[in-house]
Amino acid sequence: MKVIDLRFKEPGCTGHPVVRLNNRLRELNEDRVLIRFNLEDIPLKALELLIGRYGYRVDEVRNVNDYVEVVAIKA
Amino acid sequence: MGDWCLSLALNVNVIREDFPLIKDRKIVYLDNAATTQKPIQVINAISNYYMKFNANIHRGLYELSQEASKLYEEAHGVVAKFINAGSWEEVVFTRNATEGINILAQALVNRYLKPGDEVVISIMEHHSNMLPWIRLSETYGVKVKVVGIDSDGLLDYDELSNVLTPRTKVVSITHASNVLGTLNDVRRIAKLGHEVDALVVVDGAQSVPHLPVNVRELDVDFMVFSGHKMLGPTGIGVLWGRKDLLEDLPPVLQGGDMIKYVGIEVKGGVLINHRIIYNDLPWKFEAGTPNIAGGIGLAEAVNYLIRLGMEEVRAHEVELTRYALRRLDETLKDDIKILGPKHPELRSGLISIAFKGINPHVVASLMSTKNIAVRSGYHCAQPLHEYLGVYDGTLRASFYIYNDVDDINAFISSLEEVINVLSK
Ligand SMILES: Cc1ncc(COP(=O)(O)O)c(C=O)c1O
């Protein structure tokens, strides 16, 4: 399963996790994706709406230490 | 919305017919401060050039080349008239506003500036009007002074007047802030700058597309702006300068078409002497084959704006801004902070919004799922955001001639919705 790791913020205008998530999803063609992120960066509801735009939905949410893992599958 | 009676200066429905990309209203395009959409007249002018006139300029004796040269030269004239330049030779075509300032900064340092001389900018500058001067401080020991703003987002004119000294050689300030919307009093800045014999440079990237600009009335020395922010194509911009100053400045880019004569003396395979006579203005500053189609497209864009009337363009944006500010205040006052002056007359047609505990990138991303195009981040003005303590950046909606009340309503409803989702 492809992993999109958004836990670390990169500097610059395109470094925010939301921008990176959009960029990665735009180029991916996978049925299942694992997304790691911090809830302070992307609230879960926002993530659901954002991935929906690329045809994914949340299949599973796991709280791991101080971050969250979401398994997204093609809807 | 109820008691609001809005009368817009422009007929948006008619204008939209000219814009293929937004005519069908599939997108609410509110990122005009980044770049504007292009009317069919501009698209046609560019394709017409390539289909009927394409040739390199100033080089061929054949008719096609002469026609292309004429069109390109005329484009300079159209822009000159638009900003009331002294002559078409004062208009140098560049790639964009950024390149204009870089060329100017390098030319000025080669001719006028010495270590310890001062350049005054403001905290509200776009990186384009900040980094070229900072570079001069790194490489030539020029001192850069940065003037602040007041709590309303207006330039601190007292501070400006206090920082000016006999060593101030350049005052380079934006006409309109791309974040605050603040319209600066350029005449006042020019007067203060000229009192200490400084050259006054204006970043017109966010003003020339949106309001009547008369460089001679403003009494400034140089101005830069970008074609793509005023209906023109990307890759074409303008550096305007007073003729006497441009004549005195050395060219920055070297190569073809910017010289009249080049002679070299070589001895034993080594260059020992050379003589170069630079070309007349504006060609001295336009080295190499320029963006001919871009220049022609820009002239068409300018003609389009002239037909609408710049007073009307400005009035249209003031009304849209007034409406948007009031609606935002009515609906979202407790959730957002609007940057910049409160009164629409003091600002250009853009609104930047800071949030409490919500990241603007997340907001913009969610709004894009509803086909609303707005910008999030620092808008290339990171020092300003840090100065204001807005570390996450802002969400910016910027209006233009084809936007109407429906666009603003769609923007505000969507913003309300997104804030609701994110606040849960
Ligand atoms: C105030 C201001 N100055 C300069 C620029 C730079 O324009 P360009 O990227 O076209 O060179 C911009 C672009 O956003 C701007 O808003």
Side-chain angles (χ1 to χ4, degrees), chain A residues 13 16 18-19 22 41 43 45-46 49-50 53, chain B residues 359 361-362 365-366 368-369 378 380 392 421-422:
Chain A
C13 296
H16 190 273
V18 151
V19 181
N22 274 302
D41 293 333
K45 185 71 200 160
L49 293 167
L50 289 177
R53 192 177 170 203
Chain B
N359 190 285
H361 289 302
V362 178
S365 269
L366 291 180
S368 83
T369 65
Y378 299 125
C380 297
D392 279 344
V421 166
L422 295 177

Side-chain angles (χ1 to χ4, degrees), chain B residues 33 124-126 176-182 206 338-341 347-348 350-353 377-382 384-385 388 394-396:
Chain B
M124 68 173 93
E125 300 313 315
H126 186 281
S177 159
N178 68 318
V179 176
L180 305 165
T182 307
Q206 296 295 347
I338 293 173
L339 305 189
R347 55 191 299 153
S348 64
L350 64 86
I351 297 176
S352 295
I353 297 172
Y378 299 125
H379 321 297
C380 297
Q382 192 163 6
L384 172 63
H385 281 83
L388 296 169
T394 48
L395 184 84
R396 182 182 70 188

